């Protein structure tokens, strides 16, 4: 072949490569194809010799694959597209996921498909076994309706990717009574006539005809139970009170002698130990390994408290219609998981759903399946460590007097920052105080965090520190002096920064217990550490990664629905965030619930006996969970502080600015202008300085929390005798901000 031909063929190949790049499917379609095939991001990354994070970025559009991986990725997607073509309905589906003209206040767009973590291909539905005593008042078939329409054959909502036929009507339904008929509002605007006239019959209908539920998020997990939300009208229809008595509210459940509970027992159904409360599970004993359970959610009894699911200032759920409630909770279920109780409880359940402790493993000799433990999960309840448990734990009984205040060398005190200092003279000359808030700080800290998966190993005799071993270390960090620290060749005034090793920001005064990330940060800063003893975990993994991915995708999808997307420049982002305040109320409720799920899930890892479930020093139910792991919670909170402190130091080096207050994930800086743009450092090319706080919607980036004047702060200090944290009041000007779940 001549040189001219070689050049021509090379030019043609380059052109073909460019065309191939342009013909890659859209990011959402890439994810759909992978999930339709039941493949995980890890599997694709392994085949393409790429990182799992890279595959995730390709599916969200953050980055694009480069040659030679791009050609191989395109080939894979082409093959998957041939096997799993996009449903025809998807091409013509309306913008609104619900398939009907939604009310403006609840026009929630389509939720994204779940982030696949060993997501299985939808299975052929197994035959549902008829309950032992089918109710006689259950009609043989179910009809469906849409508002304003005549009865018709049931139709699912517009096609969603890989809908499991067993659950084609969605994860949940809200039951109401219209014109004397019980109806079930499902996702997609679907309305089903409910023939059941008693609660046992309602359970039978749900298990056999309603086609409600949610497919498992991991091939070794369990499908979510169908969930029914009962409105006050539905409660009355099924013989339940619309409000609990004071005694029942105190007990958190209906009295055992209630007639409906007797109906349930006569029908061969059972309740969990928690009884018939705001969140109730009614089930038949499993047969042939098949779970047959229905979850009831009763808002009138306190199932959806304003502290987690609603807006404290302007509660919406009490007046929300059944259809709108189905859309709100259905969107949460599709993007996160079917609610299992409060958002914190649901956040913990999401961890287990994505990392189930056990799997079925075939015995090659007998051919039977036996239970085996998953290597990447929390599988057992291990012995606890004194320094990691709260004061009321049974292991501390007799250790100290009842009201003894444990000191840092007796207790692991890894908590979020709560710190405030006086302004310097130069800072007082600046007119404004600007608050910035870290998006999804707890979830962001969980991303890529290595945690322990097994029980503790006690190291004594001055063990050498190993940052690869998660756990708790007793070490003296009082010698860590950051007053004249150097960052990037510049000296900063570390005295104007909080210590990263205590929640109060005060410098340690002696030996104390720290989680591994805190000690590793001291080493990173260049200081020697000499642990006295430690409790470490030798089996490790990134247990929280799929949990973070799921919540991140839910958060970003909801923010996108509110008009805020990654890639916006700083001014666009601030303008879009300002519009969110006046945005769709239902979307804002959904956003609040997602953030509360992230924060509450981490808190549940060290659930306390705060409600007095049992006497002090007696075991409480949470201690029986494999997921009661205070060491993991401590590692997350330690990481939150470390990440914030590292960015504070780099921001100080880049712009010579220092925070004056921190409240959990909100930082307040003096500023010459009222906007974060007036405050944060930028490089000559206009981009944020690497390693500093950056405006943006992604978890770990920051948004504008609020602005007040320096004069306001001085007045508040004087009014409160100096006991005042600016960061907790910057948003509302003197009134401590509501916890919105972050």
């Amino acid at each position: 072949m001549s040189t001219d031909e070689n050049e021509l063929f090379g030019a043609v190949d380059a052109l073909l490569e460019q065309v191939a790049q342009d013909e890659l499917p859209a990011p959402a379609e890439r994810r759909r194809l992978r999930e339709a095939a039941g493949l995980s991001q890890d599997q694709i990354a392994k085949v393409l010799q790429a990182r799992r994070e890279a595959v995730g970025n390709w599916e969200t559009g953050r980055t694009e694959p480069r040659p030679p991986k791009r050609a191989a990725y395109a080939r894979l997607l082409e093959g998957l597209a041939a096997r799993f073509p996009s449903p025809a309905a998807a091409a013509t589906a309306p913008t609104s996921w619900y398939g009907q003209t939604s009310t403006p206040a609840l026009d929630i767009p389509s939720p994204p498909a779940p982030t696949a973590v060993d997501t299985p291909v939808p299975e052929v539905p197994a035959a549902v076994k008829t309950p032992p005593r089918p109710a006689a008042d259950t009609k043989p078939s179910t009809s469906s309706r849409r508002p304003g329409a005549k009865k018709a054959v049931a139709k699912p909502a517009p096609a969603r990717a890989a809908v499991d036929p067993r659950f084609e009507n969605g994860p949940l339904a809200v039951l109401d009574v219209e014109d004397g008929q019980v109806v079930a509002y499902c996702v997609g605007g679907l309305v089903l006539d409910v023939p059941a006239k008693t609660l046992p019959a309602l359970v039978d209908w749900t298990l056999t005809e309603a086609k409600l539920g949610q497919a498992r998020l991991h091939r070794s997990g369990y499908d979510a139970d169908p969930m029914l939300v009962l409105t006050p009208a539905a409660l009355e229809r099924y013989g339940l009170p619309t409000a609990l008595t004071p005694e029942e509210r105190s007990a958190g459940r209906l009295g055992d002698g209630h007639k409906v509970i007797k109906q349930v027992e006569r029908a061969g159904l059972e309740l969990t130990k928690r009884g018939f409360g705001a969140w109730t599970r009614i089930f038949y004993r499993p047969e042939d390994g098949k779970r047959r359970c229905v979850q009831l959610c009763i808002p009138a009894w306190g199932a959806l408290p304003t502290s987690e699911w609603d807006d404290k200032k302007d509660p919406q759920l009490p007046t929300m219609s059944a259809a709108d409630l189905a859309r709100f909770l259905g969107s949460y279920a599709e993007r996160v998981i079917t609610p299992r109780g409060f958002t914190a409880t649901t956040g913990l359940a999401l961890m287990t759903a994505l990392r189930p402790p056990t799997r079925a493993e075939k015995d090659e000799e007998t051919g039977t399946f036996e239970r085996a433990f998953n290597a990447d999960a929390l599988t057992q309840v291990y012995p606890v460590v004194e320094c990691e448990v709260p004061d009321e734990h049974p292991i501390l009984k007799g250790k100290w007097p009842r009201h003894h205040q444990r000191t840092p060398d007796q207790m692991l005190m890894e908590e979020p920052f709560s710190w405030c200092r006086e302004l310097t003279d130069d800072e007082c000359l600046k007119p404004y105080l600007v608050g910035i808030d870290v998006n999804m700080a707890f979830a962001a800290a969980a991303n890529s965090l290595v945690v322990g998966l097994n029980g503790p190993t006690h190291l004594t005799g001055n063990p050498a520190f190993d940052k690869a071993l998660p756990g708790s270390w007793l070490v003296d960090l009082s010698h860590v002096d950051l007053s004249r620290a150097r960052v990037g060749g510049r000296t900063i005034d570390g005295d104007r920064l909080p210590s990263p090793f205590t929640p109060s920001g005060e410098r340690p005064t002696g030996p104390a217990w720290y989680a591994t990330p805190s000690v590793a940060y001291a080493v990173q800063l260049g200081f020697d550490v000499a642990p006295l003893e430690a409790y470490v975990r030798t089996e490790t993994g990134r247990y929280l990664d799929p949990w973070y991915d799921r919540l991140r995708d839910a958060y970003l999808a909801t923010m996108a629905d509110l008009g805020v997307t990654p890639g916006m420049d700083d001014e666009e982002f601030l303008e879009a965030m300002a519009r969110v305040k006046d945005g769709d109320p239902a979307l804002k409720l959904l956003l609040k619930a997602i953030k509360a799920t992230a924060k509450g899930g981490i808190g549940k890892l060290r659930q306390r006996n705060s409600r007095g479930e049992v006497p002090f020093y007696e075991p409480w139910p949470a201690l029986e969970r494999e997921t009661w792991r205070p060491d993991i919670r401590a590692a997350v909170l330690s990481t939150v502080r470390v990440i914030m402190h590292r960015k504070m130091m780099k921001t100080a080096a880049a712009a010579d600015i220092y925070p004056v207050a921190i409240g959990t994930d909100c930082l307040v800086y003096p500023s010459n202008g009222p906007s974060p743009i007036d405050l944060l450092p930028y490089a000559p090319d206009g981009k944020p300085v690497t390693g500093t706080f950056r405006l943006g919607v992604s978890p770990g980036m920051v948004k504008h929390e609020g602005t007040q004047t320096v004069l306001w702060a001085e007045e508040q200090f004087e009014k409160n005798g100096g006991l005042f944290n600016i960061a907790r009041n910057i948003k509302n000007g003197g009134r401590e901000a509501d916890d919105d779940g972050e």
Side-chain angles (χ1 to χ4, degrees):
M1 186 180 295
S2 68
T3 303
D4 290 342
E5 287 177 326
N6 280 331
E7 292 177 354
L8 289 173
F9 274 67
V12 168
D13 289 341
L15 181 61
L16 287 174
E17 184 180 350
Q18 181 179 350
V19 172
Q21 289 181 4
D22 292 339
E23 290 182 352
L24 270 180
E29 177 66 5
R30 302 169 198 174
R31 181 169 60 183
R32 186 196 72 80
L33 290 171
R34 174 178 59 75
E35 291 173 348
L39 298 174
S40 69
Q41 291 178 347
D42 284 323
Q43 289 173 291
I44 292 181
K46 186 176 181 180
V47 169
L48 298 180
Q49 298 180 8
R51 295 170 61 246
R52 180 190 63 79
E53 291 81 4
V55 177
N57 288 336
W58 299 344
E59 292 184 354
T60 58
R62 292 188 182 90
T63 61
E64 290 293 319
R66 297 181 179 179
K69 293 182 177 63
R70 187 181 186 96
Y73 188 46
R75 181 180 179 86
L76 171 65
L77 295 177
E78 183 180 358
L80 294 179
R83 297 188 183 187
F84 306 99
S86 177
T92 57
T95 302
S96 173
W97 170 48
Y98 299 110
Q100 66 174 13
T101 303
S102 305
T103 57
L106 284 152
D107 189 13
I108 304 177
S110 172
T115 300
V117 180
D118 292 334
T119 305
V121 179
E123 300 174 350
V124 177
V128 180
K129 221 174 179 57
T130 305
R133 293 181 59 183
D137 58 349
T138 302
K139 297 178 183 178
S141 63
T142 301
S143 61
S144 70
R145 296 186 294 158
R146 296 185 185 277
K150 297 180 179 180
K151 293 185 179 181
V153 178
K155 294 182 180 180
R160 300 192 296 275
V163 173
D164 192 316
R166 297 172 299 161
F167 311 124
E168 64 180 28
N169 292 334
L172 56 86
V174 179
L175 269 59
D176 202 3
V177 179
E178 294 182 358
D179 300 326
Q181 170 67 46
V182 179
V183 293
Y185 285 89
C186 308
V187 298
L190 179 69
V191 185
L192 302 175
D193 285 335
V194 181
K197 291 182 171 56
T198 65
L199 194 66
L202 176 64
V203 173
D204 294 343
W205 171 82
T206 304
L207 293 173
T208 58
E209 297 185 51
K211 294 186 177 181
L212 294 173
Q214 188 175 41
R216 55 191 175 175
L217 299 180
H218 187 286
R219 67 183 60 192
S220 299
Y222 297 95
D223 298 328
D225 297 325
M227 176 172 141
L228 301 178
V229 185
L230 303 183
T231 63
L235 290 173
E236 290 184 346
R237 174 57 63 93
Y238 290 111
L240 294 165
T242 57
L244 298 178
T245 66
E247 293 77 14
E248 291 169 340
R249 283 200 305 272
S250 177
R253 56 196 289 176
L254 202 62
D256 292 338
H258 195 277
K259 62 179 182 180
V260 172
I261 294 181
K262 293 180 179 179
Q263 281 182 354
V264 168
E265 293 171 349
R266 287 196 298 268
L269 289 159
E270 298 182 40
L271 300 171
T272 61
K273 292 180 181 180
R274 290 189 175 274
F276 207 122
W279 292 93
T280 298
R281 290 189 183 276
I282 305 180
F283 63 95
Y284 286 105
R285 286 283 175 180
E287 294 183 5
D288 300 327
K290 301 296 182 182
R291 182 180 175 92
R292 297 177 299 157
C293 179
V294 175
Q295 179 180 216
L296 303 183
C297 168
I298 307 177
W301 295 3
L304 303 173
T306 57
S307 60
E308 300 189 25
W309 294 96
D310 210 345
D311 188 332
K312 290 182 181 179
K313 301 175 186 176
D314 182 23
Q316 301 174 58
L317 295 181
T319 58
M320 190 175 283
S321 68
D324 290 345
L325 187 58
R327 291 169 187 152
F328 166 55
L329 293 177
S331 295
Y332 177 90
E334 291 280 355
R335 294 184 177 183
V336 182
I337 194 173
T338 302
R340 311 294 174 88
F342 295 159
T343 51
T345 303
T346 304
L348 195 69
L350 180 63
M351 293 182 196
T352 305
L354 293 167
R355 294 280 204 204
T358 60
R359 69 182 188 279
E361 188 171 78
K362 188 174 183 179
D363 188 316
E364 297 299 333
E365 295 182 359
T366 63
T368 60
F369 284 90
E370 299 178 350
R371 189 180 73 161
F373 291 114
N374 287 320
D376 58 358
L378 303 177
T379 59
Q380 300 179 46
V381 178
Y382 291 102
V384 296
V385 177
E386 285 186 7
C387 68
E388 294 175 350
V389 301
D391 294 337
E392 65 271 22
H393 196 280
I395 198 175
L396 299 179
K397 187 174 183 179
K399 186 76 174 180
W400 293 289
R402 169 69 181 270
H403 299 291
H404 171 73
Q405 185 69 42
R406 286 194 285 170
T407 54
D409 61 330
Q410 298 170 344
M411 179 181 184
L412 181 66
M413 296 183 180
E414 297 285 15
E415 300 292 339
F417 273 125
S418 181
W419 169 82
C420 189
R421 66 170 174 84
E422 294 183 358
L423 280 69
T424 65
D425 292 341
D426 289 341
E427 289 169 342
C428 287
L429 296 177
K430 295 184 177 182
Y432 298 104
L433 294 173
V434 177
I436 55 175
D437 184 83
V438 181
N439 300 324
M440 298 276 285
F442 285 37
N447 183 29
S448 300
L449 179 66
V450 176
V451 301
L453 301 178
N454 63 341
T457 297
H458 191 193
L459 305 180
T460 58
N462 303 103
F465 174 68
D466 186 348
K467 66 178 181 180
L469 294 177
S472 303
W473 303 79
L474 180 62
V475 58
D476 188 349
L477 298 181
S478 60
H479 64 287
V480 177
D481 183 4
L482 300 176
S483 60
R484 303 297 294 169
R486 292 185 62 80
V487 180
R490 297 184 180 182
T491 302
I492 65 171
D493 182 4
D495 288 336
R496 286 198 276 170
L497 294 177
S499 167
F501 307 116
T502 63
S504 66
E506 299 295 327
R507 187 168 167 177
T509 57
W513 286 100
Y514 299 98
T516 298
S518 293
V519 186
Y521 187 49
V523 174
Q524 181 187 353
L525 291 172
F527 295 91
D528 294 329
V529 298
L532 303 175
E533 62 176 309
Y535 290 91
V536 298
R537 279 77 182 176
T538 55
E539 295 178 13
T540 65
R542 295 182 175 182
Y543 173 74
L544 295 171
D545 272 11
W547 180 81
Y548 163 77
D549 289 342
R550 180 81 171 174
L551 290 171
R552 175 205 59 202
D553 290 347
Y555 170 76
L556 290 178
T558 306
M559 289 301 294
D561 294 341
L562 285 164
V564 188
T565 58
M568 288 181 165
D569 65 38
D570 289 357
E571 289 187 356
E572 288 178 324
F573 170 71
L574 291 176
E575 290 173 359
M577 287 298 297
R579 291 192 294 270
V580 168
K581 297 177 182 178
D582 300 319
D584 185 333
L587 282 173
K588 290 193 294 182
L589 285 188
L590 179 58
L591 185 68
K592 171 183 167 63
I594 292 169
K595 293 192 291 185
T597 302
K599 182 176 181 180
I602 297 299
K604 274 283 187 177
L605 292 170
R606 197 193 71 156
Q607 181 178 350
R608 303 189 63 173
N609 183 27
S610 56
R611 298 181 182 176
E613 296 178 89
V614 297
F616 218 76
Y617 294 137
E618 294 297 323
W620 59 95
L623 301 183
E624 300 174 4
R625 297 193 316 250
E626 296 91 342
T627 50
W628 195 83
R629 289 295 298 272
D631 58 301
I632 296 180
R633 172 187 177 272
V636 173
L637 299 186
S638 168
T639 303
V640 171
R641 292 202 322 272
V642 166
I643 291 174
M644 291 176 67
H645 192 271
R646 186 183 293 119
K647 291 184 178 182
M648 281 186 268
M649 292 186 69
K650 293 193 175 183
T651 301
D656 193 30
I657 56 174
Y658 300 83
V660 296
I662 306 175
T664 306
D665 47 17
C666 175
L667 304 94
V668 176
Y669 280 90
S671 174
N672 289 319
S675 168
I677 295 178
D678 302 317
L679 164 73
L680 298 176
Y682 293 86
D685 60 0
K687 295 182 179 179
V689 175
T690 302
T692 63
F693 293 106
R694 301 182 60 178
L695 290 169
V697 68
S698 298
M701 301 179 79
V702 300
K703 63 179 182 294
H704 186 204
E705 178 71 0
T707 296
Q708 300 292 339
T709 65
V710 170
L711 179 60
W712 164 84
E714 294 295 340
E715 291 174 348
Q716 296 298 325
F717 279 132
E718 185 175 347
K719 183 188 302 182
N720 294 277
L723 301 175
F724 183 78
N725 190 326
I726 302 172
R728 300 195 182 280
N729 297 268
I730 193 75
K731 187 174 184 177
N732 297 320
R735 181 170 55 84
E736 189 160 316
D738 293 333
D739 185 353
D740 67 353
E742 286 200 271

